[in-house]
Structure formats: C-alpha cells, structure tokens
Amino acid sequence: MRAMVYRGPYKIRVEEKDIPAIEHPNDAIIRVTLAAICGSDLHLYHGLMPDTRIGHTFGHEFIGVVHEVGSSVQNLKVGDRVMVPFNIYCGSCWFCARGLYSNCHNVNANATAVGGIYGYSHTTGGYDGGQAEYVRVPFADVGPAKIPDWMSDEDAVLLTDATSTGYFGAQLGDISEGDTVVVFGAGPVGLVAAQSSWLMGAGRVIVVDHLDYRLEKARDFAHAETLNFAEYQDIVVELKKQTDYLGADVVIECVGAEADGNLLQHVAGAKLKMQGGSPVALNWAIDGARKGGTISVMGAYGPIPNAVKFGDALNKGLTLRMNQAPVKRQWPRLFEHIRNGYLKPSEMVTHRFPLEEIPEAYHVFSNKLDGCIKPLIVPSAA
Amino acid sequence: MTENDIPTAYVRDKRTVRETNEQLRARIPGWGADLDPADRPSHPKLRYAPETTGAHWEFPERQPGSEGRERSIEHAFVTPVFGTAQPLTGASGAIRRLAYERFSEGRLAHWMLLVVGDRVDAWGSHLRSFATLRPDVPATGMRAEFTHGGLSSRRGRVDARHHVLDPVVVGGPWVLAAGVAVVGARRLARAVRR
Ligand SMILES: NC(=O)c1ccc[n+]([C@@H]2O[C@H](COP(=O)([O-])OP(=O)(O)OC[C@H]3O[C@@H](n4cnc5c(N)ncnc54)[C@H](O)[C@@H]3O)[C@@H](O)[C@H]2O)c1
Ligand SMILES: [Zn+2]
Ligand SMILES: [Zn+2]
C-alpha cells in the first residue's frame, strides 16, 4: 500500500508499505477513503514530539471502509463505512469506564501521561496512522462508529478530531450565559470552539490570530469579533480595553506549540526545541483572562517543560482545564448540531490533496499558504 | 474621568451592555442550544458508564509479542494492546531503550534521551538514504512554494521573519554535515596518499 512516511523534521514522503495485519482479536483493518492533516501533525512534522521514529506514518483524522476484522469483533463487519476517533482506547480500564477516553491506560505502553493516538509518535503508543491506504484500528468495537447515511464524508472526517476538539474546548471553558469568550487561534479547532461558545450561550466571542484570511473566516463562519494581534503593540492590553478592564470570562487556547507572537519564545520552543513548544498563546490566555475566570487549553505541547507564567495563573485565581478530547463522547450531540445546521465543519475545508502530494500538503498547511485552513488527503485507492 | 466612565472592573456591577439573547438567537444559528452546563456531553468530567463503551471484556485479551518491547517504567507491564510500528533498532534504538528503562516520564533525562535518539535516527537514515535512489533532502514539499503562492501568501505577515529562520534551522545542519564530510574526505585522501 501507499503511505505517508516521516523522514525527519520538515521531511516526509510517500512510500510502499505492507498492508497492516490483525494483531489482536479486536483489531480491524480499515481502507482509508478520506484523511486530513491536523494542527497537531505539525508538531510531529517539525520534530517537536520526542520519540517520533523515521518511517512513522502520521494521521489521526480519517474515515474509511472496514477491510478485515479480528475474531472478537462484534459491532463492525467488512464493508461498513466508519469514522474513527483520533483516540485509541480500550473502553474498559479505570479511565475509559469513567468517560476519559483520551486517557486510556491499556493502549500506550510508552507513556502513562498520554493515551493512545493514531500516527502520533511512539510517545502516544507507536501506532501507524491513517495518512495511508490502510490502517490498523485496535478495539474496533469501541472507537469506530458507522457513518450515518445523511452525513457527508467531509463532515465525518472533521468529526474525528477538529470539530469534536473545538466543541470540547468550549465545554471545558464552563461557559455561562452572557460570558465574554476569547478564542486564541483561528485554525479549525479555534473556529469550532468559537461557534460552540455561542451554542453554550456566550454573549460575546472574540477570536485572536494574525492571519487575516483566517480571521475573516472567524467573522463569516463563526460570527465572532476578531483581533489581529500583529496590529497591536500588546494584545493583552487590547483585550483588557475590549472587556472594560475585566479580562475575558473564558479563554480557549487553540494554538499550541508553534505559537507565534514572541520571537524569543518561538525560536526557543518551536525552532530550537529547548522547551516543549512555544507557550506564547498560553501566556496571553493567562494574562487576558479575568481574575477568577477559566482557561481551557486545547493547544498541544510536548512533554518537555515550558516557560509558562504559572505564578500569574495562581495570583488570578484562574481555573485551568485541558485534555486531549474524548472524541466519541461528543458525537451524539454533535451529530444533532450538524443535522440542525448549527455546525458546518465541511465549510472549513480549503484543500484536497491526493496522497501522493502529501509533502506539498504539509508544506502548504504548515506555512499557511494559499488561504489554507483545513487540507484533506485522498488516498489513491479511495 | 467622571464616575460613569469608570470601567466595569473597578465597580460592583457590570454595566456594559451586550446583545440580548433574542438578538443573538436571530443572528447565530443554534445560539444557546447547549445553555445548560449539566446537559453537555462531557459533564460531569468523570461519569461512570462502562456499559456504554462497547467493550465486552473485563480486561482486554493480551496482544502477543510484548516480550522485550519498551515501556514506560510508570506502567506495571506492557499494555495489553500496543503499537508495533518501527520497533527499536540500531544506535537510536539503544538510546531510546535506555531512556525507557532508566528514567520515568517525570525525569527530563527521559525526554532528552528520546530527543537525542530521534536525531541519531534521522541522521542515520539520511546517511543510508544517500546510498539509495531516493536520497533525503533538507525539506520536502518545496514545490508548493511555486504552486501555492509562497511569496504572495506571506506578504505582510508577522510570522514571515520566523519562516526566514526555517532554512537556517533546517538547512544549517546539512551544510555543516556536508562541510564535515568534505574535510573528512580530504583528510582521508591525504592519509591514504601518504
Ligand atoms: N486537545 C486536543 O485534543 C487537540 C486535538 C486537535 C488539535 N489540538 C491542538 O489544537 C491546536 C490547533 O489545531 P488546528 O488544527 O486548529 O491548528 P492550526 O495550525 O490550523 O491553527 C493554529 C492557529 O493559531 C494561530 N496562532 C499562532 N500563534 C498565535 C498566537 N500567539 N495567538 C493566537 N493565534 C496564534 C495560527 O496563525 C493558526 O491560525 C494545535 O496545537 C493542535 O495540536 C488539540
Ligand atoms: Zn489532531
Ligand atoms: Zn481504556
């Protein structure tokens, strides 16, 4: 089969690999029909995630058709069209039993601090991902769901991560009616977080980024006010002015390790890898929130310590909430919202690349060229 | 500043006017659909509901082949299911194994050794690739600079100056390695001649 393969930081290519085999009775092999690149993949692509091995196939956002099932699989059969959450999880450990699907203890031998994720380095378990023609899906009775007939492929693939994560991010903000919500980052995750904030009753939603084309999307698509941080001497002061010196009731951080806006932090974190990513947006979130407010962090960081302004977070009495999104827990409600037209994930898709052109896709998405918001990957066998 | 101009933060009650719920509802499809915090999918954070996950086992059957597989020492054993992609090999494998066997996830040494393992793995692979028909290059996908508006897309952006660093960070080690290789080859040639 053809598969995306990591060759070192900033280097990927498409190679021939064996079709994955059933390795556990509850495995399924899925033939991928549509995949996507996530902002999280950029952390791997830039070499920010420890134990990313040469030859690794990335990709944790994908849908496909069941190609083969293991002997104990009951809920899926060959030929089913399925969407697969980015979390690999067992459904039966202490954490899964309590709904913490992204924190499963039975799937990642390499680390206890993070659960299992497809195609996301050995630090999340060493599973090859779905930017390929086929992928091994462990616990086929737990993670995957059949795609409802009425749902489009684009909506389905965007539910496997970005949409569920944005919505989850808004939830962790504990938004109350009338709250002022500030969202950092106008990528797919931030755009959905902004939309979801309205669903939860926000009175004002302000999206911060520096890419004008994405801020335009935040206005049109997510009905939000926008601030381009590059136009202000100090974005935190502007946020205080905008909120009558209170600060935001809720801040949702949807940027993560590659944050721009402070050259020193960016170079130390994202370029020289001296910390687990550049916490610029996280620090702005801490400064921009009102005292007693809540910060929800969806942006991902590496396991190496970061220069985070923890003292101010304490002094301000902030509540910090965060996790990898437990995707499937969000699905029933999100299916309703999509059906009602409240959420339209597919409208974020800007590019479709054939799998053979995935090196270009990564370059475009990483450098935010050509108005790119969400690039999809179409495998050759699809 | 008259009393009325004093910003909200300095007085008891918030006086800023916002759009009414009706206005928001009219403007934003679905506004308030999930207004009740107790009726949101991830509430409460811990919700005991093992019967809803689809798992039909107490503890999963164990995937064969766990002997010798690396694991975090914070785990009691290799998890019943694990990834089998890119098993440890060679020098990078030895470094990574050391990271796993000696240091918990709480130790910086664990992560720094893994980072070193990554660099050794990458450079070993680059060197091996030079002996194949598909040698590695410093960065891939560069064609998109021409097909997807590399210059026009970056006009006026603040991160453009960070992008300028990319060739240095990415290409720098390659230039250095090439230099070392040339000097090494010269020395070798001289030594052979002598
Ligand atoms: N927690 C989870 O489960 C989960 C799941 C998916 C993605 N993520 C993370 O969410 C983040 C966003 O993902 P995405 O796919 O939307 O990525 P993306 O790269 O498309 O978007 C990131 C955006 O942040 C902007 N940005 C950079 N620096 C900023 C700053 N200082 N302030 C405000 N904006 C800034 C960028 O211009 C870009 O538009 C990533 O870190 C990703 O790893 C987390
Ligand atoms: Zn992701
Ligand atoms: Zn579990």
Side-chain angles (χ1 to χ4, degrees):
Chain A
M1 67 160 184
R2 306 293 287 167
M4 168 275 169
V5 156
Y6 177 68
R7 294 292 307 169
Y10 299 83
K11 285 174 278 300
I12 61 169
R13 67 188 193 195
V14 179
E15 275 181 18
E16 203 60 31
K17 272 193 175 184
D18 290 340
I19 295 180
I22 302 279
E23 301 185 53
H24 178 276
N26 211 248
D27 279 0
I29 306 300
I30 307 290
R31 178 168 59 80
V32 179
T33 53
L34 194 59
I37 307 179
C38 176
S40 302
D41 290 324
L42 299 180
H43 314 325
L44 296 180
Y45 178 64
H46 294 145
L48 290 176
M49 188 68 158
D51 211 356
T52 304
R53 300 185 189 171
I54 303 302
H56 199 53
T57 296
F58 301 168
H60 56 269
E61 296 183 291
F62 58 90
I63 61 170
V65 175
V66 178
H67 172 73
E68 195 185 348
V69 291
S71 56
S72 81
V73 175
Q74 301 174 353
N75 300 341
L76 294 183
K77 53 182 195 318
V78 172
D80 284 344
R81 282 177 69 232
V82 289
M83 49 205 284
V84 183
F86 78 80
N87 325 103
I88 300 174
Y89 63 109
C90 75
S92 59
C93 69
W94 195 94
F95 304 94
C96 287
R98 286 158 183 80
L100 298 179
Y101 304 156
S102 50
N103 310 101
C104 177
H105 217 59
N106 270 335
V107 291
N108 180 3
N110 297 70
T112 55
V114 54
I117 304 179
Y118 293 95
Y120 208 67
S121 85
H122 277 65
T123 294
T124 69
Y127 299 89
D128 270 338
Q131 289 163 7
E133 287 179 320
Y134 295 86
V135 58
R136 171 193 172 206
V137 171
F139 295 114
D141 282 333
V142 178
K146 285 178 204 157
I147 301 176
D149 289 333
W150 53 268
M151 192 181 285
S152 74
D153 281 2
E154 276 105 353
D155 281 341
V157 78
L158 287 179
L159 277 165
T160 62
D161 181 355
T163 304
S164 306
T165 300
Y167 182 78
F168 177 68
Q171 271 182 90
L172 290 197
D174 262 334
I175 295 167
S176 313
E177 187 178 325
D179 274 354
T180 294
V181 178
V182 168
V183 178
F184 283 102
V189 174
L191 290 170
V192 175
Q195 284 189 316
S196 306
S197 301
W198 293 126
L199 300 181
M200 294 170 205
R204 242 184 120 182
V205 177
I206 305 171
V207 176
V208 181
D209 201 303
H210 67 94
L211 297 172
D212 282 321
Y213 76 91
R214 286 183 170 214
L215 290 172
E216 196 181 313
K217 191 81 176 175
R219 288 190 293 273
D220 300 347
F221 172 78
H223 312 284
E225 299 168 52
T226 57
L227 292 175
N228 181 333
F229 69 74
E231 288 170 9
Y232 299 92
Q233 184 70 23
D234 189 327
I235 189 64
V236 169
V237 175
E238 183 57 26
L239 284 174
K240 294 290 166 65
K241 287 184 184 161
Q242 291 272 341
T243 54
D244 226 17
Y245 291 87
L246 276 175
D249 300 302
V250 176
V251 181
I252 312 175
E253 198 271 71
C254 305
V255 179
E258 266 91 13
D260 275 301
N262 177 313
L263 193 62
L264 191 68
Q265 286 266 28
H266 183 83
V267 170
K271 295 286 187 272
L272 300 180
K273 291 119 188 162
M274 281 154 44
Q275 49 176 342
S278 148
V280 179
L282 184 52
N283 284 333
W284 286 351
I286 290 171
D287 280 344
R290 76 157 158 74
K291 287 177 260 191
T294 300
I295 298 181
S296 159
V297 186
M298 287 298 104
Y301 294 87
I304 293 170
N306 292 96
V308 177
K309 299 184 59 198
F310 214 77
D312 277 349
L314 177 136
N315 291 336
K316 296 180 74 169
L318 300 180
T319 300
L320 267 63
R321 302 192 65 195
M322 63 207 88
N323 202 349
Q324 296 283 346
V327 169
K328 207 174 180 183
R329 218 169 140 172
Q330 323 304 318
W331 278 358
R333 185 67 55 87
L334 288 176
F335 286 15
E336 277 175 43
H337 288 334
I338 289 175
R339 223 175 175 176
N340 289 331
Y342 298 165
L343 295 176
K344 294 177 178 146
S346 58
E347 289 184 8
M348 297 187 295
V349 173
T350 51
H351 290 72
R352 289 168 148 263
F353 290 92
L355 178 60
E356 295 297 325
E357 287 173 27
I358 201 167
E360 284 73 31
Y362 267 85
H363 189 81
V364 166
F365 183 52
S366 166
N367 290 285
K368 314 299 187 220
L369 304 183
D370 198 31
C372 188
I373 294 177
K374 189 71 179 178
L376 299 186
I377 301 299
V378 189
S380 8
Chain B
M1 203 178 259
T2 70
E3 281 217 354
N4 275 339
D5 297 331
I6 294 176
T8 307
Y10 301 89
V11 293
R12 192 176 59 199
D13 290 309
K14 210 168 180 171
R15 288 171 292 129
T16 31
V17 276
R18 64 165 181 93
E19 284 175 276
T20 64
N21 292 359
E22 289 60 45
Q23 285 169 325
L24 288 166
R25 225 171 249 129
R27 183 165 81 80
I28 295 150
W31 184 87
D34 295 320
L35 209 49
D36 178 6
D39 180 36
R40 295 175 189 164
S42 281
H43 181 90
K45 177 167 157 181
L46 299 184
R47 185 172 55 209
Y48 186 75
E51 69 290 347
T52 61
T53 66
H56 42 86
W57 46 81
E58 275 284 305
F59 178 77
E61 221 172 295
R62 284 180 184 269
Q63 177 180 329
S66 67
E67 309 75 28
R69 192 201 187 279
E70 78 280 5
R71 67 167 167 91
S72 165
I73 53 174
E74 292 177 52
H75 262 307
F77 41 66
V78 172
T79 50
V81 163
F82 51 88
T84 52
Q86 301 87 41
L88 297 176
T89 55
S92 66
I95 296 168
R96 286 165 170 154
R97 190 173 290 285
L98 180 70
Y100 284 105
E101 285 178 356
R102 282 284 293 281
F103 302 103
S104 75
E105 296 159 57
R107 303 279 293 277
L108 192 57
H110 175 83
W111 302 110
M112 294 324 276
L113 278 171
L114 289 177
V115 168
V116 171
D118 286 355
R119 298 299 163 256
V120 170
D121 189 7
W123 277 99
S125 304
H126 299 335
L127 290 178
R128 279 192 300 281
S129 80
F130 297 148
T132 70
L133 292 176
R134 281 185 93 181
D136 284 333
V137 290
T140 57
M142 297 306 293
R143 194 162 57 92
E145 286 291 326
F146 307 101
T147 57
H148 289 77
L151 276 183
S152 58
S153 300
R154 287 196 183 84
R155 197 159 298 136
R157 269 165 51 179
V158 282
D159 57 341
R161 54 186 181 166
H162 301 179
H163 291 185
V164 171
L165 289 172
D166 283 351
V168 182
V169 175
V170 181
W174 288 68
V175 174
L176 210 69
V180 170
V182 168
V183 172
R186 282 223 191 105
R187 292 235 172 104
L188 190 71
R190 230 178 287 139
V192 170
R193 250 181 275 133
R194 236 180 253 145

